[in-house]
Amino acid sequence: MELVTDEKIRIKVLRSELKGEGLKLDSLVRCIHCGKVFYGNELRVFKKGDSHLVYCKFPDCDGSIIDIIDADDEDFASMFW
């Protein structure tokens, strides 16, 4: 897997992936793996073959796009307070 450094490609992938989760680039999001809050546009994008994979902002966390939720989601937020 290679980290995508081309900002145009990275933003295009993030817009598409976040939209599928009902989120936007400027949404505050929470990773349910590490519990940390950050903006959607800070997610990391990797290229693997012909696909792109989206992961948590923090390199020491292996949370992927399916682990990213709205930071205000009360059901999950209470787990981290």
Side-chain angles (χ1 to χ4, degrees):
M1 271 193 325
E2 284 184 49
L3 182 65
V4 173
T5 56
D6 183 313
E7 198 63 12
K8 280 186 171 182
I9 293 171
R10 196 178 81 74
I11 294 299
K12 183 178 178 181
V13 170
L14 287 177
R15 274 196 182 114
S16 174
E17 293 292 325
L18 288 167
K19 184 178 180 181
E21 301 296 318
L23 301 166
K24 296 180 179 182
L25 291 171
D26 63 351
S27 296
L28 267 178
V29 298
R30 179 184 308 275
C31 175
I32 63 172
H33 272 252
C34 66
K36 296 178 183 173
V37 175
F38 52 93
Y39 286 98
N41 64 358
E42 296 177 300
L43 288 158
R44 295 177 296 144
V45 177
F46 291 89
K47 183 166 177 65
K48 184 176 181 181
D50 292 335
S51 300
H52 288 96
L53 305 170
V54 177
Y55 285 91
C56 177
K57 168 187 175 175
F58 299 97
D60 60 336
C61 179
D62 64 352
S64 68
I65 190 66
I66 63 170
D67 303 306
I68 303 301
I69 61 169
D70 187 309
D72 293 329
D73 186 324
E74 293 180 17
D75 291 334
F76 285 98
S78 63
M79 293 171 38
F80 302 103
W81 292 338

